[in-house]
Amino acid sequence: MIQERTLPKFDVTTAQIGKEEGLRLYEDMVLGRTFEDKCAEMYYRGKMFGFVHLYNGQEAVSTGVIQGAMRPGEDFVCSTYRDHVHALSAGVPAKEVMAELFGKATGCSKGRGGSMHMFSAEHRLLGGYAFVAEGIPVAAGAAFQTKYRREALGDESADQVTACFFGDGACNNGQFFETLNMAALWKLPVIFVVENNKWAIGMAHERATSDPEIYKKASVFNMVGVEVDGMDVMAVRAVAQEAVARARAGEGPTLIEALTYRFRGHSLADPDELRSKAEKEFWFARDPIKKFAAYLTEQNLTTDQELKEIDRRIQQEIEEAVKFAESSPEPDPSELYRYVFAED
């Protein structure tokens, strides 16, 4: 087991959160976890195929950034191949995400994308990307068009911020450095969120980079860089709110390194034999959903019964999503060439 980095401390007493928002954040995390658990069940039952990369353990990052600091449906989200939960946080209905995993015409990508290529123009989800770091320049492009519309075209409504998610494995890729440089030069309204789960695909992060503290790389671009406990949704929410405020005010991008952990293997085809039992137990004990549930009850913002009711309701929603996916039609062969080019 490689020595763990010290997780940044977050002073929870500085946080201001009401019951409504607290339950919304909890519900979003539970939705992500329950959805992914059902995906594993469906995959092993032969209901979905290909590579399926689950997000279990990292829910505080998606929820803290998208639901905690952004305007879902207005701001843009750019994901990776581990994209189901980003889609859910962005507001894509669970039934549409599930149908996409089943390859059905009712999926958010019309059954053409599958697990790694979630997309929804309606929800400003710019896509999941199978190639490592592929979404980083796409996110910068989205941020550039927002800045251009506002400053060159005089569109006062153009104040959207783009959140770009990627993993530690992307941070040695040329697109990472080139895009951060351009984003800083042009002060683009984008936040770069590194979900450092330590292992990329199967290479320990500390063995793959000369400086494992990714957030420090922001300094060479004269960009704000921060690290955060990616297992604490309140901590993620706090740094994301600051980053979004800077971006919306025209002060440029932020690089956020969220220290997190995936509870399952890289994909459902991964036997997950590289990580030690001790390392897994260290991170399992920091489950972000359990941690936030404890916070909500300790602060008298909710009760255990209320949280259990949310769990039950989300479970029912996921079961209905599976039924919807199973009963949905396959893409019609006559539409094979649709969605290759833009349509009027």
Side-chain angles (χ1 to χ4, degrees), residues 170-183:
C171 295
N172 296 318
N173 189 297
Q175 293 181 95
F176 170 80
F177 296 99
E178 292 178 33
T179 303
L180 264 65
N181 181 56
M182 297 305 294

Side-chain angles (χ1 to χ4, degrees), residues 266-297:
H266 173 66
S267 75
L268 286 174
D270 176 12
D272 195 22
E273 297 173 343
L274 296 172
R275 304 183 299 174
S276 70
K277 184 173 183 287
E279 178 182 289
K280 292 178 186 178
E281 290 177 348
F282 174 88
W283 288 94
F284 289 166
R286 288 156 175 76
D287 187 312
I289 297 177
K290 292 179 180 177
K291 182 173 185 176
F292 191 52
Y295 170 82
L296 290 174
T297 54

Side-chain angles (χ1 to χ4, degrees), residues 307-318:
L307 295 181
K308 288 178 181 177
E309 177 56 29
I310 291 175
D311 296 346
R312 186 203 62 75
R313 178 160 46 80
I314 293 298
Q315 186 65 53
Q316 180 62 32
E317 180 180 347
I318 299 306

Side-chain angles (χ1 to χ4, degrees), residues 108-272:
C108 57
S109 298
K110 312 301 182 187
R112 289 159 169 78
S115 175
M116 293 186 283
H117 301 284
M118 299 291 164
F119 172 83
S120 177
E122 175 188 355
H123 299 93
R124 300 289 177 97
L125 177 68
L126 300 176
Y129 295 89
F131 289 117
V132 175
E134 183 184 12
I136 300 177
V138 174
F144 177 79
Q145 66 83 30
T146 295
K147 184 181 178 71
Y148 185 85
R149 284 194 295 115
R150 186 175 186 84
E151 297 184 1
L153 302 182
D155 183 356
E156 293 296 324
S157 68
D159 67 342
Q160 294 81 19
V161 172
T162 299
C164 180
F165 295 90
F166 50 94
D168 50 285
C171 295
N172 296 318
N173 189 297
Q175 293 181 95
F176 170 80
F177 296 99
E178 292 178 33
T179 303
L180 264 65
N181 181 56
M182 297 305 294
L185 275 174
W186 294 342
K187 292 189 180 301
L188 298 184
V190 58
I191 59 174
F192 299 103
V193 185
V194 186
E195 302 193 69
N196 184 357
N197 61 26
K198 296 187 43 163
W199 282 91
I201 294 176
M203 169 65 76
H205 176 61
E206 289 80 359
R207 295 180 58 195
T209 186
S210 56
D211 186 350
E213 294 181 296
I214 300 168
Y215 74 100
K216 291 182 176 179
K217 296 178 182 181
S219 64
V220 301
F221 304 110
N222 196 27
M223 182 189 300
V224 176
V226 294
E227 66 173 342
V228 65
D229 181 354
M231 308 301 275
D232 184 342
V233 70
M234 293 292 285
V236 174
R237 168 180 171 268
V239 299
Q241 285 179 347
E242 293 179 3
V244 168
R246 277 194 295 269
R248 230 182 281 285
E251 297 173 7
T254 302
L255 176 63
I256 298 172
E257 181 184 5
L259 302 177
T260 185
Y261 200 72
R262 51 175 167 80
F263 287 174
R264 293 179 178 267
H266 173 66
S267 75
L268 286 174
D270 176 12
D272 195 22

